[in-house]
């Protein structure tokens, strides 16, 4: 019964948010400020899924300027967990097929996100070139999932290099954002689904890397994120165990 109530409430919330969001965005379409607004709006759904999301963002993050954010991509629950960390004037780079998702697809485009055709290598490279050009003319940041797909419990997957090519070409820092494990964590018929920690790491200076060191930069970021995710998973496990002991 609880799962049915949750599904109905989430569906209604998302449909209404998308409809009114599209109307709102028509007054300033493709404005990058909209992405954080609606990302945080979807983030408010986390308690409805029985999740407590703890978001750790450095106080100085608002002064980072143009950057590329990279985050681990686990499953659809990223929309209510890691979305809380999206900063103002940050747009995401998502797959082109998102535009066909009912209600959400139009909002995704109107808020200013960038759609990439991963099946077409030439078009994908052109999208990265767009990212670099926008860095030179706008106050804007980009949010990417370098794994390129949902990991679905397989750990941090190997990174594709697009985000790192763009960062080196534009000379902007990379900022990793890590979320603790959510795979098989949410049971819709369970009232309390525990804790998720989302943490933003310090910016990584890319100026020391050349165009021929993209994979080296990618490997460095992967190692940092993998270590942090393991650390967050251990912290979540310890804190949830303490809460269970306190209740018993």
């Amino acid at each position: 019964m609880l799962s049915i109530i949750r599904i109905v409430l989430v569906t209604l919330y998302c449909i209404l948010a998308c409809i009114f969001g599209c109307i709102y965005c028509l007054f300033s379409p493709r404005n990058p400020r909209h992405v954080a607004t609606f990302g945080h709006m979807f983030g408010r759904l986390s308690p409805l899924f029985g999740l407590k999301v703890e978001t750790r963002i450095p106080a100085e993050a608002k002064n980072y300027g143009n950057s590329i954010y990279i985050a681990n991509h686990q499953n659809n629950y990223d929309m209510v967990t890691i979305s809380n960390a999206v900063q103002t004037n940050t747009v995401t780079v998502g797959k082109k097929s998102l535009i066909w998702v009912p209600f959400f697809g139009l909002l995704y485009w109107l808020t200013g996100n960038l759609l990439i055709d991963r099946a077409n290598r030439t078009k994908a490279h052109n999208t990265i070139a767009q990212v670099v050009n926008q860095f030179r003319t706008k106050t804007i940041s980009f949010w990417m999932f370098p794994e390129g797909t949902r990991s679905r419990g397989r750990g941090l997957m190997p990174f594709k290099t697009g985000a790192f090519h763009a960062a080196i070409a534009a000379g902007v820092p990379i900022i990793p954002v890590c979320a603790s494990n959510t795979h098989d964590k949410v049971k819709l018929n369970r009232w309390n689904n525990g804790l998720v920690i989302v943490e933003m790491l310090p910016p990584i200076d890319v100026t020391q890397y050349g165009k021929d060191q993209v994979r080296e930069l990618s490997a460095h970021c992967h190692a940092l994120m993998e270590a942090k995710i393991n650390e967050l998973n251990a912290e979540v496990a310890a804190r949830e165990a303490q809460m269970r002991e306190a209740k018993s």
Side-chain angles (χ1 to χ4, degrees):
M1 187 63 172
L2 179 58
S3 64
I4 295 173
I5 293 172
R6 278 176 163 154
I7 291 169
V8 170
L9 290 176
V10 168
T11 301
L12 287 173
Y13 183 97
C14 290
I15 290 174
L16 290 173
C18 290
I19 291 174
F20 288 106
C22 287
I23 295 171
Y24 176 80
C25 290
L26 286 174
F27 292 97
S28 55
R30 308 284 295 163
N31 186 330
R33 297 182 66 86
H34 295 325
V35 177
T37 299
F38 289 98
H40 299 168
M41 184 179 292
F42 284 111
R44 294 191 185 99
L45 284 170
S46 56
L48 189 55
F49 287 102
L51 290 171
K52 179 184 177 182
V53 179
E54 185 176 302
T55 307
R56 300 171 178 173
I57 300 175
E60 59 271 21
K62 60 183 179 182
N63 299 318
Y64 282 162
N66 289 6
S67 309
I68 288 182
Y69 294 86
I70 57 172
N72 55 317
H73 194 14
Q74 300 185 67
N75 47 50
N76 290 339
Y77 291 113
D78 293 343
M79 185 182 290
V80 300
T81 57
I82 210 160
S83 63
N84 290 287
V86 176
Q87 299 296 290
T88 303
N89 285 330
T90 299
V91 300
T92 68
V93 178
K95 57 185 179 181
K96 190 177 181 180
S97 58
L98 285 173
I99 194 69
W100 301 113
V101 177
F103 300 105
F104 177 78
L106 181 57
L107 179 65
Y108 188 82
W109 182 81
L110 278 173
T111 48
N113 293 297
L114 200 60
L115 296 166
I116 186 170
D117 186 355
R118 293 196 181 114
N120 188 315
R121 195 174 183 85
T122 301
K123 288 184 177 179
H125 285 163
N126 289 340
T127 303
I128 296 303
Q130 289 181 47
V131 169
V132 174
N133 289 334
Q134 289 194 51
F135 276 132
R136 293 169 178 160
T137 59
K138 298 180 181 178
T139 301
I140 194 170
S141 293
F142 287 86
W143 182 290
M144 299 184 182
F145 294 108
E147 293 163 283
T149 187
R150 300 175 184 87
S151 58
R152 301 188 189 280
R154 293 172 290 178
L156 190 64
M157 303 287 284
F159 285 172
K160 298 183 182 301
T161 58
F164 308 99
H165 276 292
I168 291 173
V172 298
I174 288 177
I175 303 174
V177 181
C178 301
S180 61
N181 180 56
T182 58
H183 179 67
D184 279 344
K185 190 177 184 71
V186 179
K187 307 296 182 185
L188 293 179
N189 272 317
R190 183 170 59 195
W191 184 255
N192 183 359
N193 285 308
L195 173 68
V196 176
I197 302 176
V198 177
E199 184 169 338
M200 183 180 293
L201 277 57
I204 297 170
D205 182 9
V206 305
T207 57
Q208 59 186 311
Y209 294 90
K211 292 181 180 179
D212 58 341
Q213 296 174 299
V214 169
R215 295 194 181 279
E216 183 181 334
L217 175 59
S218 171
H220 174 63
C221 293
H222 191 282
L224 285 176
M225 290 181 67
E226 190 169 45
K228 175 54 68 173
I229 291 167
N230 291 336
E231 180 184 314
L232 294 177
N233 288 338
E235 181 182 346
V236 167
R239 288 173 59 179
E240 289 183 340
Q242 288 176 353
M243 286 187 282
R244 287 192 296 269
E245 289 177 5
K247 290 179 180 179
S248 61

